[in-house]
């Protein structure tokens, strides 16, 4: 464990969704929670990221960083156990499920709206502890009717909010909250960054990206095409927000915009753990692979990635400097 030098530097996290690949984020959180030089004060998250976020917050409230690590480990163990009880998905099961989804909706295939994730979240997550954690939490979902992002925060964060954030429409019926139907937040906020601007959260934001931003070559097989479309779709909202942030930062740098104007414009210092590139060799089917051995493999890769980031980039936190170049990534051809 690294020794803190002075007061821990505050940081915000932005956690993407990615199904079982969220176990990689588990590893990142496990490592960061033991880093005494940093203090996680805010998390914006979507889908699997949202599940990680509430588990981290509940554990933190109950037992500090050790409690957070224990809660995350317990959550993912139960994810694996629940899936094993239903039968291992595997590549054959994934292919069969995908074929069925192309023929019928979850309203046809699952008329009683059984969602094993609801049972797991209700049993595992103490939302009273989540609300008492002191973390600023923001969970994104997509409003089915308007196509706009809905961000749940504070007392709005419930089992239903988590399920809405993780509701893939091909697999589950829309989650209704207050009479409004919601789908997975990944379509419109994966994750949403704007809440971190307006809430006064730490301006250093560490992105944990689970979908590859770039993938060399042209996909030619049907499964490869679908996989790349999935990656592009679930990165689109994040890329759009990062472009807007880069534009505002350039205006601030050029003196054309004052950062203090109505507190609407803030410089965010962006950092990133590129989990998508680390996981580029895993195909789409592995996002449904919840075998314990595989989840541990992903966790360990996340721990290693967090170690690398801490060694190479954490020094930039608190210096008003980004370690992730938004302009070269998203504004230049």
């Amino acid at each position: 464990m690294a020794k803190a030098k002075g007061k821990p530097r505050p940081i915000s996290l932005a956690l993407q969704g990615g199904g079982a690949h969220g176990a990689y984020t588990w590893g990142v959180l496990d490592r960061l929670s033991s880093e005494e030089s940093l203090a996680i004060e805010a998390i914006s998250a979507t889908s699997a990221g949202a599940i990680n976020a509430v588990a981290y917050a509940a554990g933190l409230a109950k037992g500090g960083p050790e409690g957070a690590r224990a809660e995350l480990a317990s959550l993912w163990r139960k994810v694996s156990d629940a899936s094993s009880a239903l039968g291992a998905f595997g590549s054959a099961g994934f292919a069969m499920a995908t074929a069925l989804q192309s023929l019928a909706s979850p309203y046809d295939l699952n008329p009683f709206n059984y969602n094993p994730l609801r049972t797991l979240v209700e049993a595992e997550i103490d939302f009273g502890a989540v609300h008492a954690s002191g973390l600023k939490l923001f969970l994104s979902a997509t409003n089915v009717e308007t196509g706009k992002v809905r961000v749940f925060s504070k007392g709005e964060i419930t089992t239903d909010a988590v399920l809405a954030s993780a509701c893939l429409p091909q697999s589950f019926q829309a989650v209704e909250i207050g009479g409004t139907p919601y789908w997975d937040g990944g379509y419109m906020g994966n994750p949403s960054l704007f809440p971190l601007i307006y809430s006064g959260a730490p301006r250093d934001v560490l992105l944990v990206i689970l979908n590859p931003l770039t993938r060399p070559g042209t996909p030619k097989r049907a499964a490869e095409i679908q996989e790349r479309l999935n990656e592009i779709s679930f990165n689109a909202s994040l890329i759009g927000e990062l472009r807007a942030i880069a534009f505002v930062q350039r205006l601030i740098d050029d003196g054309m915009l004052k950062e203090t104007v109505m507190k609407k414009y803030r410089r965010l210092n962006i950092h990133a753990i590129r989990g998508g590139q680390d996981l580029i060799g895993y195909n789409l089917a592995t996002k449904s692979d919840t075998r314990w051995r595989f989840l541990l493999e992903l966790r360990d890769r996340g721990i290693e990635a967090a170690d690398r980031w801490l060694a190479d980039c954490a020094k930039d936190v608190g210096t008003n400097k980004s370690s992730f170049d938004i302009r070269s990534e998203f504004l230049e051809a």
Side-chain angles (χ1 to χ4, degrees):
M1 180 182 294
K3 297 296 182 182
K5 295 182 180 180
K7 186 178 180 181
R9 293 163 292 160
I11 193 168
S12 299
L13 301 183
L15 310 179
Q16 267 198 340
H21 289 188
Y24 179 98
T25 304
W26 163 27
V28 172
L29 289 170
D30 184 274
R31 176 62 185 90
L32 292 180
S33 64
S34 67
E35 181 58 41
E36 295 180 0
S37 68
L38 298 176
I40 299 170
E41 295 186 1
I43 303 178
S44 182
T46 295
S47 200
I51 297 169
N52 275 317
V54 294
Y56 177 86
L60 187 70
K62 293 178 180 180
E66 288 291 341
R69 291 194 289 275
E71 186 71 22
L72 284 163
S74 176
L75 171 76
W76 283 98
R77 174 80 256 192
K78 290 179 180 178
V79 166
S80 181
D81 290 345
S83 298
S84 297
L86 293 172
F89 221 166
S91 59
F94 178 83
M96 182 179 296
T98 301
L100 286 173
Q101 290 167 3
S102 67
L103 296 173
S105 81
Y107 294 86
D108 301 316
L109 298 172
N110 184 13
F112 297 106
N113 199 21
Y114 171 67
N115 187 341
L117 186 58
R118 177 179 292 278
T119 302
L120 188 150
V121 171
E122 288 178 343
E124 185 68 14
I125 304 299
D126 179 347
F127 284 94
V130 172
H131 301 150
S133 69
L135 287 174
K136 293 182 178 181
L137 290 181
F138 308 96
L139 309 185
S140 296
T142 300
N143 184 314
V144 177
E145 296 175 330
T146 66
K148 297 179 180 178
V149 66
R150 166 69 191 275
V151 177
F152 297 93
S153 63
K154 299 180 180 178
E156 298 173 328
I157 295 178
T158 62
T159 296
D160 280 343
V162 173
L163 295 179
S165 184
C167 181
L168 289 172
Q170 300 91 345
S171 301
F172 300 108
Q173 295 184 24
V175 176
E176 290 200 5
I177 300 176
T180 301
Y182 294 98
W183 281 339
D184 195 291
Y187 297 106
M188 297 306 297
N190 195 22
S192 295
L193 300 182
F194 68 87
L196 301 175
I197 298 174
Y198 299 134
S199 66
R203 67 175 63 209
D204 282 284
V205 179
L206 173 58
L207 302 172
V208 182
I209 303 171
L210 294 184
N211 293 307
L213 293 173
T214 61
R215 183 183 287 273
T218 302
K220 296 180 180 179
R221 295 183 178 181
E224 295 171 345
I225 292 171
Q226 183 57 47
E227 182 171 352
R228 188 56 184 150
L229 283 173
N230 180 280
E231 291 168 353
I232 291 171
S233 297
F234 281 104
N235 279 333
S237 59
L238 175 62
I239 291 172
E241 281 200 88
L242 287 172
R243 284 175 172 165
I245 288 169
F247 179 67
V248 169
Q249 288 183 346
R250 176 169 288 179
L251 292 178
I252 292 172
D253 290 343
D254 293 344
M256 300 176 67
L257 187 66
K258 291 185 177 180
E259 192 172 359
T260 57
V261 175
M262 297 178 64
K263 297 183 179 180
K264 288 185 177 181
Y265 307 109
R266 295 176 69 222
R267 175 185 298 281
L268 290 187
N269 303 315
I270 304 298
H271 314 278
I273 291 177
R274 295 167 171 269
Q277 302 310 129
D278 286 345
L279 304 177
I280 200 167
Y282 296 104
N283 62 29
L284 185 60
T286 62
K287 290 187 176 182
S288 297
D289 187 346
T290 56
R291 293 171 299 163
W292 184 236
R293 183 173 63 180
F294 181 63
L295 296 180
L296 290 179
E297 177 184 331
L298 294 176
R299 180 205 63 184
D300 291 346
R301 297 199 69 168
I303 291 173
E304 292 169 2
D307 267 330
R308 292 193 300 271
W309 181 81
L310 287 167
D312 298 338
C313 303
K315 63 183 181 298
D316 292 325
V317 174
T319 66
N320 206 31
K321 176 183 177 183
S322 295
S323 59
F324 181 82
D325 191 342
I326 306 175
R327 293 180 184 178
S328 65
E329 291 283 349
F330 302 121
L331 296 183
E332 299 172 7

